[in-house]
Every structure is written in structure tokens, then in C-alpha cells.
Amino acid sequence: MFSPSHFTAVLLFATFASTVFGITQRETPQKMFRYGLYCWALFVGSAIVLSWVMYLIAR
């Protein structure tokens, strides 16, 4: 049975959501790819920043 860690789940969600956003929000394949990477970086970056904020609040 597949039991991913929280970070793996975030990476999977970011990958799938960014793929959908890239395909549906841009017209050309190059723009789709660049927007998908941009969304992916924002998803992963915000998850890392927010996890550190929650860690510091919980201390």
C-alpha cells in the first residue's frame, strides 16, 4: 500500500494541480509549461514557508 509522507503528498498535489493550471490557463505549449513550473514553485515554496511558520508558532 502506498503511504506517502506529507511532503510527498504536497509534491504530488503541486505536480497535478500545476499541470491542470498550465493546460487550462495558457494557449501555447511553451507558455503552458512555463506557467505550470511557476505554479509548481509557488505551491512547493508556500508549503515550505508555511510549515516553518507553523513550526515556529508551535514551539
Side-chain angles (χ1 to χ4, degrees):
M1 177 165 221
F2 181 64
S3 180
S5 67
H6 286 98
F7 189 67
T8 305
V10 166
L11 291 178
L12 285 172
F13 173 79
T15 301
F16 293 130
S18 297
T19 301
V20 171
F21 287 169
I23 291 171
T24 60
Q25 301 298 316
R26 298 295 185 255
E27 294 79 27
T28 64
Q30 182 181 8
K31 288 182 180 180
M32 289 177 186
F33 182 73
R34 291 185 71 200
Y35 188 66
L37 283 179
Y38 174 73
C39 290
W40 188 86
L42 288 179
F43 275 125
V44 174
S46 63
I48 291 170
V49 169
L50 289 174
S51 65
W52 274 104
V53 168
M54 288 188 290
Y55 171 76
L56 292 173
I57 290 172
R59 280 182 65 184

